[in-house]
Amino acid sequence: MTRQILHVDQNCFYASVEMQRHPALRDRPLAVCGRQEDRHGIVLAANYLARPRGVRTGMAVWQARQLCPELAVLPPDMAEYIRFSRLAREIYGDYTDRVEPFGLDECWLDVTGSAGLFGGPMAVAREIRERVGFELGLTVSIGVADNKITAKLASDYRKPDAITRIGPDNYRELVYPLPVEALLYVGPATARKLRAIGISTIGRLACCPEATLVGRLGKMGAVLRRFANGLDDTPVLRSDHIPNVHSVGNSATTPRDLRDEDDVRLMLLLLAESVCSRMRELAARCTTVELSVRDADLRSFLCQRKLPRPSCASRELADTALELFRERYRWSRPVRSIGLRGSGLVEAVPEGQLSLYAEDRRREKWERIDAAVDRLRQRYGYLSIRRARLDVHPELGRLNVRDDHVVHPVGYFGR
């Protein structure tokens, strides 16, 4: 049986929610932006009145104001966006139990088994579009196809407030002329590699020999070629499916630039405490530590190191990350943001044999201390107990990196 997959994308989601909450701003260019005083001053979403003026996601707020002086700027309210996202998914759930989120504003729906009850997949798409508009006051673009990748291409094909069907009869006509960047998981770096060998459209990617793509992109080259040919058998996961977690991370853009190694050490301790706390909630330890750093000129790098033994000790993760930082960073510029991730998670089972090595006994001691701190924070609040070192720099040391975080879309391959 041919699958019937929908991809529903809520248009300008953050901005659209804010226009619902502030009706007086519906006819004005509007952008949802991070707080400039916290150094998160970038555009998170812009409505369709701001976009023709050049306002784009990721742009600095001051740049957006230069392009559009009458721009209305509002801070993000993640709790409200999550509420609207859940309300939309309740609507989708009336048509199928196979609803897979792709971030707060996008979902795949597998209506193969239920579309016949409503008159077919296009009828389902029209009904969802009407209900989201009437019940939530938001517009959606919906793609209809026989797989997830093509359905997303279809939802991106026409915006806003549109339904597009892409099938075998019109696939080449609609998809082949699109730029290669329109394909899911062809980012800027991959696009540059493809354009370097003359591949600028999805059609050229679909016709390129697989061996050429594998030689250029590795195994991902074969995957992207299948996607370009409209081939994808990835299932839409049930709404109650919980994917296996393979890594836990936290990052922070600091209130001020990090000027020396003491600043970096302090931030790594804060991040490590948050990451390790989450790992203990999952009853897991990590086998690899990953460090990401972005300097004041927004240049960044990512590196990682394998741990000698699985660990969820914040001291060990912070020390390992600091070693990576010392090896890679040369202090030509101050650091603007820093991130720490524990990956390669394994089950935190008790050790079957006592260790005679001092470093293993230290790790076990650190983990017991961290667990005791977790219990105190659960009862009295996250900032109720802190390392004395953090009081040296109060503006950094009083950050709550565990709770003050940004919600990011989930990864397509992250399972």
Side-chain angles (χ1 to χ4, degrees), residues 5 51 83 100 143 185 217 284 287 294 312-313 322 325 331 341 355 361 397:
I5 310 297
R51 292 186 179 189
R83 186 176 75 88
E100 180 180 346
Y185 283 97
L217 303 175
T287 58
R294 177 174 293 176
C312 63
L322 185 60
F325 181 87
W331 286 113
R341 178 173 295 276
S355 173
R361 293 201 298 273

Side-chain angles (χ1 to χ4, degrees), residues 63-101:
Q63 292 175 310
R65 288 189 183 279
Q66 280 188 341
L67 294 169
C68 184
E70 67 273 26
L71 183 70
V73 174
L74 294 175
D77 185 341
M78 292 307 303
E80 191 69 4
Y81 306 151
I82 291 171
R83 186 176 75 88
F84 268 80
S85 179
R86 287 174 178 163
L87 291 172
R89 290 176 197 173
E90 288 178 10
I91 294 175
Y92 309 155
D94 289 343
Y95 302 91
T96 177
D97 64 344
R98 293 189 176 274
V99 179
E100 180 180 346

Side-chain angles (χ1 to χ4, degrees), residues 247-252 268 271 288-295 298-306 320-321 323-329 335 337-343:
S247 66
V248 176
N250 208 158
S251 62
L268 290 175
L271 294 170
T288 303
V289 174
E290 299 178 8
L291 173 71
S292 60
V293 177
R294 177 174 293 176
D295 67 23
L298 302 185
R299 299 174 183 173
S300 59
F301 70 84
L302 176 70
C303 55
Q304 63 181 25
R305 174 165 295 167
K306 191 91 169 175
T320 303
E323 291 175 8
L324 287 169
F325 181 87
R326 286 170 174 164
E327 293 171 4
R328 291 291 304 273
Y329 205 68
V335 172
S337 66
I338 192 163
L340 180 66
R341 178 173 295 276
S343 61

Side-chain angles (χ1 to χ4, degrees), residues 7 9 102 106 108 148-156 184:
H7 183 267
D9 186 353
F102 191 59
E106 301 181 43
W108 281 289
K148 292 166 67 175
I149 296 297
T150 307
K152 178 159 174 58
L153 277 171
S155 70
D156 290 337
L184 188 62

